[in-house]
Amino acid sequence: MSEKKGLFSFIRGFNKSTEISAEISKEEENQRQFAMEKDREEQFEPLDPDAGPVTEEIVSFSTARLKEVLELANFDAQVNLVDKTPRKIVLEITSKTEIGRIIGKEGSTLESLQVLVKHFIIRKFAVPVTIILDADGYRKRRGDMIRNKAKKAAQTVLTKGKPVHMETMTASERKTIHMLFQDDADIQTISEGQGSSRHVVIEKRKDANPAL
């Protein structure tokens, strides 16, 4: 899927106010697949390792492009800079009436927006930058929920001795789970599946305490 095709497919999906639920779900799944495809593509894009840190120009550019996409999608929303480090930009989307639609099912719309903006930055500046988009604190709430689910799944693994397959997640969400158990003596995690089916499997370490 090309950048332009993906962008306009994304916009069309939110200008069809009369779509039935199945069509909306299909569009959200298309957005999720597009986001994951761009994640994989960007792993192979030639970035300049000597490029300087995040500049005001890059911040202004990312903010402007995000506002442009939101406007084209007919979202009544604002964009604010929350944080900036030498390699990271955090932008917050606010809206009085459309936060739910901006976030999308399980964050699918927000994830698509994030990947698009990151792609725009890399294409223009060739800078290895992390871009994080949030909307009304969704990222923290989602992260807390994922960690809680993972902890419960880990208890099930230790009790029953069988691996637990988590729901499909984005790369950043899978990383959250991997980091949660990276130093755990009894639990290990791996990612399985391809594309939109990629998910985390929580399992008992082979060298874990046999008494557990």
Side-chain angles (χ1 to χ4, degrees):
M1 182 183 292
S2 68
E3 174 184 325
K4 180 177 288 187
K5 182 178 179 181
L7 176 58
F8 283 103
S9 173
F10 167 79
I11 293 169
R12 285 200 304 272
F14 292 99
N15 284 334
K16 295 180 180 180
S17 59
T18 59
E19 285 185 324
I20 61 174
S21 297
E23 291 174 326
I24 293 174
S25 296
K26 182 178 180 180
E27 179 62 29
E28 287 178 333
E29 181 60 24
N30 288 339
Q31 293 166 26
R32 190 178 184 88
Q33 290 182 10
F34 176 59
M36 290 179 175
E37 286 172 9
K38 296 310 299 180
D39 266 339
R40 290 196 297 273
E41 290 172 8
E42 285 165 10
Q43 293 175 9
F44 302 100
E45 292 195 18
L47 303 181
D48 182 359
D50 297 321
V54 172
T55 64
E56 290 301 327
E57 181 183 7
I58 295 176
V59 173
S60 297
F61 173 82
S62 60
T63 302
R65 291 311 300 268
L66 177 55
K67 288 180 178 178
E68 178 185 357
V69 173
L70 290 170
E71 289 173 0
L72 287 171
N74 289 330
F75 282 133
D76 181 14
Q78 296 74 45
V79 178
N80 301 298
L81 175 65
V82 175
D83 189 23
K84 182 190 78 167
T85 69
R87 296 296 182 192
K88 182 174 70 176
I89 301 172
V90 182
L91 300 176
E92 176 86 12
I93 303 172
T94 59
S95 175
K96 294 182 178 179
T97 59
E98 301 189 280
I99 282 296
R101 295 179 63 226
I102 291 171
I103 293 172
K105 183 180 179 181
E106 297 181 351
S108 59
T109 306
L110 191 62
E111 193 71 21
S112 296
L113 288 167
Q114 179 171 291
V115 173
L116 282 171
V117 174
K118 179 181 178 181
H119 181 64
F120 293 151
I121 294 173
I122 291 176
R123 285 288 299 273
K124 182 174 178 63
F125 300 99
V127 172
V129 60
T130 296
I131 178 78
I132 298 176
L133 301 188
D134 202 356
D136 194 31
Y138 169 80
R139 293 288 183 190
K140 183 181 184 306
R141 295 195 303 275
R142 174 71 175 171
D144 290 344
M145 182 186 72
I146 288 173
R147 280 185 285 270
N148 287 336
K149 281 187 175 182
K151 289 176 181 177
K152 291 180 181 179
Q155 287 299 317
T156 299
V157 169
L158 294 176
T159 301
K160 298 184 177 181
K162 295 182 179 181
V164 172
H165 291 250
M166 303 293 290
E167 65 196 71
T168 57
M169 297 178 184
T170 64
S172 61
E173 291 172 346
R174 294 195 304 272
K175 182 179 179 180
T176 295
I177 296 180
H178 293 318
M179 291 181 66
L180 180 64
F181 296 106
Q182 63 182 352
D183 298 321
D184 195 288
D186 302 309
I187 293 293
Q188 66 182 19
T189 60
I190 58 173
S191 289
E192 289 188 353
Q194 299 295 324
S196 61
S197 298
R198 199 153 176 79
H199 61 282
V200 173
V201 179
I202 299 177
E203 59 186 15
K204 193 173 182 179
R205 289 189 184 276
K206 294 181 175 58
D207 57 349
N209 187 343
L212 294 178

